[in-house]
């Protein structure tokens, strides 16, 4: 998963050909560490359908404020620079919930592409 370090880099990446899943995390977040073991499998599962990037909320606080990232981990899917879906909750996210979100995001991206 590509690490985003600059605002301009983020804005460039979300304009890619595939929908981009931006995963907002921090190093000190226990729920962020909880998802780490299965995220590589999910990235491989959606290869060719979704691109994934990681944004550390502490590295880009202005961007996160602009995007209204309050809880972490947060997932936002962008298509051609526009947000199409968002998965944010106070509860710990499990693999099944994240997969459901990614599947729904693909459906939305496909519907918007028509």
């Amino acid at each position: 998963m590509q690490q985003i370090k600059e605002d301009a880099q983020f804005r460039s990446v979300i304009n890619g050909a595939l929908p981009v899943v931006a995963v907002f995390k921090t190093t000190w977040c226990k729920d962020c560490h909880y998802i780490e073991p299965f995220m590589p499998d999910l990235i491989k599962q959606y290869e060719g359908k979704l691109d994934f990037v990681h944004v550390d909320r502490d590295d880009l606080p202005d961007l996160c404020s602009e995007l209204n990232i309050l809880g972490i981990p947060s997932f936002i899917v962008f298509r051609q620079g526009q947000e199409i879906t968002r998965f944010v909750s106070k509860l710990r996210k499990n693999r099944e919930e994240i997969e459901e979100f990614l599947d729904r995001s693909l459906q939305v991206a496909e519907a918007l592409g028509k």
Side-chain angles (χ1 to χ4, degrees):
M1 183 170 1
Q2 180 183 1
Q3 173 78 33
I4 302 296
K5 294 286 190 182
E6 298 177 0
D7 187 279
Q9 178 190 18
F10 176 79
R11 295 185 193 287
S12 173
V13 166
I14 65 169
N15 281 301
L18 291 178
V20 176
V21 181
V23 182
F24 295 86
K25 306 187 300 184
T26 64
T27 57
W28 49 264
C29 165
K30 289 182 182 180
D31 288 343
C32 299
H33 290 290
Y34 175 79
I35 69 171
E36 285 179 3
F38 59 79
M39 283 305 296
D41 290 339
L42 288 178
I43 292 167
K44 189 172 185 173
Q45 181 179 331
Y46 290 91
E47 189 174 3
K49 299 176 187 175
L50 297 168
D51 283 333
F52 289 79
V53 297
H54 165 243
V55 179
D56 189 310
R57 191 177 82 175
D58 292 341
D59 290 344
L60 295 170
D62 293 339
L63 174 66
C64 291
S65 179
E66 175 188 326
L67 295 172
N68 203 27
I69 302 298
L70 302 174
I72 48 175
S74 290
F75 295 78
I76 302 179
V77 177
F78 295 87
R79 181 178 170 270
Q80 298 174 340
Q82 299 296 312
E83 179 180 329
I84 62 169
T85 55
R86 179 181 287 240
F87 181 28
V88 181
S89 71
K90 291 186 228 177
L91 303 175
R92 177 176 278 177
K93 295 158 185 70
N94 63 43
R95 182 182 179 131
E96 292 76 25
E97 292 171 321
I98 295 170
E99 282 185 65
E100 288 173 13
F101 165 72
L102 296 173
D103 289 341
R104 188 174 71 247
S105 299
L106 284 171
Q107 292 171 349
V108 170
E110 185 179 315
L112 289 172
K114 294 180 178 176

